[in-house]
Amino acid sequence: MAVRDILKMGDPRLLRQAEPVTAFDTPELHALIVDLFDTMHAANGAGLAAPQIGVNLQVVIFGFKQNTRYPDAPEVPQTVLLNSVLEPLSDQREEGWEGCLSVPGLRGVVSRYQRLRYSGVDPFGQRIVREVDGFHARVVQHECDHLIGVLYPMRVTDFSRFGYTEVLFPGMDASADD
Ligand code: NI
């Protein structure tokens, strides 16, 4: 339907608490999800949250088979998750590099829970419950942070591992620079 503008860090709309979705299987909701996928794919993203296109709803999408922005990442199933709830399954945390379409050109190391259960509903109101780990768990935590107004640089603790993608990863595909 449409590739939408992605809000960039500094825009106060990225700092809001998103509202739960209350109406499922509506034309408006399906149109929003198509726009999210069109926008994510145009930017080669691994995930996108509705607040990043200025829609303050608890809607995230993520998933890919191969991703130029994260060439070593394992496949993550294509998912639309509404009204998400995350529960860590252990205290174990893992560090990993993250980028964000709202923070173009930069990467940083962020500590995330290694294993978690996420639940919520799909666009038809059907319940989703999954237990995941590794990169899948990382992507979910990153995207759901957008629903509480948190961008990954707010979670960076070691700024010696935060910088420009082109400097940190000189060989990476140019399409991964945003
Ligand atoms: Ni992001």
Side-chain angles (χ1 to χ4, degrees):
M1 298 203 32
V3 173
R4 306 270 290 264
D5 287 340
I6 298 176
L7 306 183
K8 292 193 186 131
M9 185 169 65
D11 191 309
R13 289 173 289 177
L14 290 169
L15 303 177
R16 298 181 294 184
Q17 299 280 326
E19 303 288 339
V21 176
T22 55
F24 304 99
D25 199 18
T26 65
E28 295 77 15
L29 180 60
H30 291 303
L32 168 65
I33 289 160
V34 172
D35 282 1
L36 285 168
F37 274 107
D38 287 351
T39 305
M40 181 180 84
H41 290 145
N44 294 312
L48 192 66
Q52 292 181 274
I53 60 168
V55 176
N56 200 36
L57 288 173
Q58 293 176 19
V59 178
V60 300
I61 66 164
F62 52 85
F64 54 85
K65 283 192 163 41
Q66 270 278 308
N67 189 279
T68 53
R69 286 169 55 82
Y70 300 93
D72 299 326
E75 181 176 343
V76 174
Q78 182 169 295
T79 303
V80 180
L81 182 65
L82 283 53
N83 302 346
S84 48
V85 175
L86 307 189
E87 303 162 78
L89 291 174
S90 82
D91 291 335
Q92 195 187 337
R93 300 179 73 94
E94 193 168 66
E95 293 189 322
W97 287 96
E98 295 187 16
C100 180
L101 298 175
S102 293
V103 190
L106 294 165
R107 293 292 170 104
V109 169
V110 181
S111 170
R112 300 285 189 186
Y113 289 108
Q114 205 273 333
R115 289 185 65 227
L116 59 81
R117 178 186 301 118
Y118 66 85
S119 57
V121 293
D122 75 7
F124 300 93
Q126 298 293 308
R127 188 157 170 78
I128 296 172
V129 183
R130 286 186 188 149
E131 293 186 1
V132 299
D133 60 13
F135 195 76
H136 190 158
R138 175 172 299 279
V139 168
V140 175
Q141 289 170 87
H142 176 114
E143 296 312 327
C144 292
D145 263 356
H146 282 294
L147 306 179
I148 55 170
V150 172
L151 299 166
Y152 84 83
M154 300 174 185
R155 298 215 185 267
V156 170
T157 55
D158 175 2
F159 283 92
S160 70
R161 291 182 295 166
F162 180 67
Y164 291 97
T165 312
E166 64 190 30
V167 179
L168 290 162
F169 305 104
M172 194 177 274
D173 188 302
S175 67
D177 286 350
D178 51 14

